[in-house]
Amino acid sequence: MRLRVDPDTTHQVSVAGGSFVDGRTVEEVAELASNVWISIVVRDGTLLPVHGDTQLRAGDMVTLLTDGDIPERVTEMFTKP
């Protein structure tokens, strides 16, 4: 679904190779960042179904929903090797 305006609480990040989340499941990430929800994962141009056992990989484009601003520590989990 495409919205005319993205909510302020929607953030897109790309999973960096060697980052903390590279190779981890959505469930593992959710346990570490309780105020962040992974709602969309796009891999190689294909939308993936998001389940607890969906494994994140380097290069995935991930859409996060938060209950406010995204904390820097969460961004770094996806972007810093």
Side-chain angles (χ1 to χ4, degrees), residues 10-81:
T10 301
H11 309 277
Q12 285 193 329
V13 293
S14 180
V15 176
S19 66
F20 183 79
V21 301
D22 185 13
R24 295 190 190 270
T25 65
V26 168
E27 183 175 8
E28 290 171 320
V29 175
E31 290 174 1
L32 298 170
S34 60
N35 61 338
V36 175
W37 299 270
I38 296 173
S39 60
I40 298 173
V41 176
V42 176
R43 180 175 297 147
D44 299 325
T46 302
L47 183 64
L48 297 180
V50 178
H51 302 287
D53 62 349
T54 301
Q55 188 175 38
L56 300 176
R57 296 185 191 160
D60 287 353
M61 181 58 67
V62 179
T63 300
L64 306 173
L65 297 176
T66 65
D67 59 4
D69 289 336
I70 187 169
E72 185 176 335
R73 67 175 177 76
V74 173
T75 302
E76 290 177 353
M77 288 171 47
F78 288 84
T79 60
K80 299 246 181 186

Side-chain angles (χ1 to χ4, degrees), residues 1-6:
M1 170 173 51
R2 187 173 289 282
L3 302 173
R4 288 181 195 221
V5 177
D6 286 335

